Amino acid sequence: MKMISKISKLILGLVFVSSVVSAQSLEDARKAIDAEQYQKAKSMLKNLTVTQATKDENFFYLGWVYVLQDYTDSAKTAFNKGIAVNPKSALNYAGLGVAAFVDKDKATATTNFNQAVTLAGKNTTAYAYVGRGYLMAPVNDRVAPADAEAAIAILNKAKALNAKDVDVLLALGEAYRTQSKNTEALSNYQAALSINPKLASAKVATGVIWKFANNFESSETEFKAALAIDPNYGPAYREWAETDVRWALSDPKMASVKIKEAVDQYRKYLSLTDMSEESQLRYADFLVYAGDWKTLQTVATDLSKTSKNLKVYRYLAYAAYENKDYPTALSAMNTWITKAEPKRVIARDYLYYGRAQIASQQDSLGIASLQQAYQLDTTQADVYSEMAKSFYAQKKYEKAGDAYHMYLTKSRKGTLNDYFRQGFSYYFAYDPSKPNPDTTLLTKADSAFSYVEQKASKPIGDVTLYRARIAEYKDKDRNNIKGLAKPFYEKYITIMTAAPLPDERSKKNMGEAYAYLGAYYEFKEKDEAKATENYTKAKEVDPTNKQALGYFSKKGGAKGK
């Protein structure tokens, strides 16, 4: 789910009526930003930077639009022009800090944020944008707690200076919401609405809180309230669409209805924007959120024919992979990763790149890409599960076992099946034909199987069988048999005889268990009666069992016929 990226980059970009503006035309531009009509806003602001070239605010808001569109280099150019016009422009220093923060240059961001606050004095507008800046570089769609706390700290300072700055109140509400501190978030949204009841953006932000609390009816109420204030307020339709998708995913009974509604709401949103390339890219974001990969591939393919924004190839790669169009996915992701600025490539990109490479039988490259995904974002521990499966398919069993170990150690999603696969991998990594086989592999395998045995709600035959086989590896000398595998094979027999044997594989495994017991009584206990009894059972359940056949052949075929 996209928990923050759209909110931090779009809702946080909403411009509120409290800030001081120098002319109605700038106010119109800010209203266009608020409505996410970015092309319209840019056109107006570019004109203002010419006709009112001495006003640093014009350059700031132009740069802010570029930030929202993820064009940080263009944003920095605009902010620097604003500083050239007014070297004491707190807003433009705040903008430079935001652009640096988005580019993951936190040292430069901090320097510029501090300068903005110093120059701002008691004017809280710059504080508001510094606070927003801290929220605009989420990892895995979540704002880091430290970044959110930094935002909350600076915004509370601004609130102390001016408790009626709705821009500050709304940004503070969003900062709290990113950390699921919904009571504090709602308090600030309500404070903003008490000052200006016509803030459609505050109603939308309140609806977003209810969305993530899965209180979808309350979300809809807030979005409708926003549209009652302004029937053409596009962001309300966008958030309503995403709420419908979340509702559909949470309630299968409502899925078909809510997905249809989501599409309708998003079409309304697009009709209220400027239908620019950026609008289409936001539509692509929505399709990712909705998991509509077929439509996304169509949209991304069309955009790739005309757009100069390389981000199109990210969408195309994601969609093509999910649609099992691996050649297209591989080509698109290769274009994105090799041509985009490195700072724009995220862990998820390498995750999809690795998956596409593995699906295209480029396993070594795929594993390297998955490792890169983990290096960029250590919360992506699930990549180790995918690496393990690839290693196993290549019969690199020890590496598969190690990858499962890393997955189970670092991820919270590991299941008993993953422990079983780990044991299975280490078991097959053990090669008894080597002069000095690595017995630690058997220990690792047995540890994994033992964990499954302890945690499973009921006995699992295969787990006990492999523990028996591991023990038997240590018991190969028939002239000095220790019987290490005996309790495991006996337990396996008990488990499997509780019901009719389901298939030929189970019958062969049961024959293996009885044959081991036959050998135990033959060589360890020297009890021919017990040996014959177990070899007989082995032959009955699996007439092809070589140990049983060999035993009776040695006895002249007199027994067990």
Side-chain angles (χ1 to χ4, degrees), residues 272-284:
L272 293 169
T273 68
D274 44 28
M275 292 303 291
S276 63
E277 179 181 300
E278 282 73 22
S279 295
Q280 295 299 312
L281 289 172
R282 287 197 296 279
Y283 181 44

Side-chain angles (χ1 to χ4, degrees), residues 87 93 184 271:
Y93 275 108
E184 294 90 338
S271 73

Side-chain angles (χ1 to χ4, degrees), residues 356-378:
Q357 287 167 325
I358 290 172
S360 303
Q361 287 77 52
Q362 298 177 15
D363 291 77
S364 297
L365 292 174
I367 287 168
S369 294
L370 294 178
Q371 289 172 329
Q372 181 67 23
Y374 183 76
Q375 289 174 12
L376 288 175
D377 180 6
T378 55

Side-chain angles (χ1 to χ4, degrees), residues 284-344:
D285 272 334
F286 169 75
L287 294 171
V288 172
Y289 182 86
D292 187 349
W293 305 111
K294 289 184 178 179
T295 302
L296 178 60
Q297 187 163 354
T298 300
V299 170
T301 299
D302 290 343
L303 279 170
S304 69
K305 297 174 183 177
T306 57
S307 175
K308 294 181 180 180
N309 192 325
L310 287 169
K311 193 176 179 182
V312 168
Y313 291 98
R314 170 189 282 165
Y315 294 122
L316 182 56
Y318 288 7
Y321 174 81
E322 295 290 351
N323 292 328
K324 295 183 170 52
D325 181 0
Y326 302 128
T328 298
L330 200 58
S331 175
M333 190 54 78
N334 186 60
T335 298
W336 166 247
I337 286 180
T338 57
K339 293 186 178 181
E341 294 178 74
K343 65 189 177 186
R344 300 184 69 193

Side-chain angles (χ1 to χ4, degrees), residues 2-138:
K2 294 202 173 208
M3 301 295 287
I4 184 61
S5 61
K6 292 185 180 62
I7 307 306
S8 64
K9 290 194 176 181
L10 299 177
I11 284 187
L12 286 180
L14 302 180
V15 181
F16 309 109
V17 298
S18 66
S19 301
V20 177
V21 294
S22 58
Q24 183 62 43
S25 55
L26 177 57
E27 179 68 13
D28 289 342
R30 295 170 70 232
K31 286 180 179 178
I33 298 173
D34 185 19
E36 298 177 11
Q37 297 171 341
Y38 297 140
Q39 290 300 106
K40 178 180 178 181
K42 276 198 298 188
S43 178
M44 296 170 70
L45 289 163
K46 285 179 179 179
N47 182 60
L48 283 171
T49 59
V50 175
T51 60
Q52 300 177 8
T54 61
K55 294 184 181 293
D56 59 286
E57 298 100 319
N58 295 332
F59 292 97
F60 168 74
Y61 286 108
L62 177 60
W64 185 249
V65 175
Y66 282 125
V67 168
L68 297 175
Q69 294 181 315
D70 202 24
Y71 297 132
T72 53
D73 287 341
S74 297
K76 291 173 187 176
T77 298
F79 296 139
N80 279 317
K81 287 182 178 178
I83 291 170
V85 168
N86 177 8
K88 294 184 178 181
S89 176
L91 272 176
N92 280 291
Y93 275 108
L96 284 176
V98 174
F101 198 84
V102 171
D103 282 346
K104 302 177 183 177
D105 182 358
K106 291 194 175 184
T108 301
T110 300
T111 298
N112 284 298
F113 285 158
N114 290 340
Q115 181 72 350
V117 170
T118 299
L119 293 170
K122 294 184 179 181
N123 187 330
T124 52
T125 304
Y127 284 80
Y129 283 96
V130 170
R132 291 173 184 154
Y134 280 115
L135 306 179
M136 296 190 71

Side-chain angles (χ1 to χ4, degrees), residues 467-517:
R467 295 202 73 192
R469 288 173 175 173
I470 290 168
E472 189 179 6
Y473 267 130
K474 304 172 184 178
D475 222 6
K476 285 297 186 182
D477 186 355
R478 296 304 188 203
N479 295 318
N480 189 27
I481 191 169
K482 299 180 182 69
L484 299 177
K486 180 175 180 288
F488 296 109
Y489 276 124
E490 287 177 334
K491 183 177 180 180
Y492 177 75
I493 290 168
T494 300
I495 293 170
M496 299 305 291
T497 52
L501 295 175
D503 51 36
E504 289 301 314
R505 173 180 169 276
S506 297
K507 291 176 182 178
K508 287 186 177 296
N509 292 338
M510 188 70 89
E512 173 189 328
Y514 279 123
Y516 174 87
L517 293 176

